Amino acid sequence: MGEMAGGRSLSAGIGASSELMSAAFDWLARSQQEPRHALREWTERGAALLPLGKKFNAVCLSAQIVHAGAGTDDLQMVTATLAELLCGPVIHNNPQHMYYALVEPCATARWNYPDEAPMLGSGQFLSVPASDLTGPVGLYWAVRPRIAGDLCPVPSVAALIEIGRSQMRGGRR
């Protein structure tokens, strides 16, 4: 991992070309009515408050269920597991011990895990970190979006929840 500078990783460009990364964040910014506002928030504050329900929803995953699903609380191992299992962008809010998997917009009422891993959607907002915030403190990308429209498949997020639930009950993977 690169060295940290003001909470921002110096190796943030590794893993995806800057053009694809820029396109991914432009796509996220267009969830706001005025995309330039999101770009300005990322530059000035390091995070943008984006509306959910049109371009994407977010599933709130407690660190407990994510770590159980990953079989570890080692953040590098958790990140690698999330990248492999979810195949899409995941935000980690370290101070709140929460992860947010970005998923396709769908009816939140049809989500099978409203109590243990609520899905946020239309009428709600999510703080989305700037592209270069890759941890390990504060609000950052555990797994950054790779291209425009990159989202975690909903069934993959549900599978992670099931694995985590099973592990917390003492089951085996």
Side-chain angles (χ1 to χ4, degrees):
M1 292 280 191
E3 296 192 31
M4 300 296 287
R8 294 175 185 234
S9 173
L10 297 179
S11 63
I14 295 174
S17 77
S18 60
E19 295 85 18
L20 291 176
M21 185 68 61
S22 178
F25 280 83
D26 287 345
W27 181 83
L28 288 169
R30 288 194 307 273
S31 66
Q32 279 194 352
Q33 196 166 13
E34 180 51 60
R36 285 178 291 188
H37 184 70
L39 298 172
R40 190 169 47 254
E41 285 182 295
W42 280 322
T43 300
E44 294 173 2
R45 298 186 185 110
L49 192 61
L50 300 182
L52 299 171
K54 289 189 180 183
K55 293 225 178 248
F56 60 94
N57 284 358
V59 176
C60 304
L61 302 160
S62 69
Q64 181 182 16
I65 204 159
V66 169
H67 296 171
T72 182
D73 59 2
D74 176 271
L75 290 180
Q76 287 185 331
M77 295 294 292
V78 168
T79 295
T81 301
L82 288 172
E84 182 179 330
L85 289 179
L86 300 186
C87 302
V90 179
I91 296 168
H92 186 199
N93 187 327
N94 204 5
Q96 293 182 357
H97 309 291
M98 295 295 295
Y99 291 83
Y100 297 88
L102 303 189
V103 298
E104 67 186 59
C106 56
T108 58
R110 299 166 114 194
W111 178 241
N112 291 331
Y113 308 95
D115 297 324
E116 59 203 312
M119 183 183 288
L120 304 177
S122 187
Q124 296 176 301
F125 294 81
L126 181 67
S127 287
V128 175
S131 65
D132 61 341
L133 293 179
T134 57
V137 296
L139 179 72
Y140 67 90
W141 289 102
V143 181
R144 290 186 298 176
R146 301 160 294 192
I147 59 172
D150 189 22
L151 297 170
C152 300
V154 172
S156 297
V157 177
L160 174 65
I161 294 165
E162 288 295 332
I163 293 167
R165 286 166 74 182
S166 174
Q167 291 294 99
M168 290 188 320
R169 287 191 303 255
R172 303 237 183 262
R173 283 202 275 179

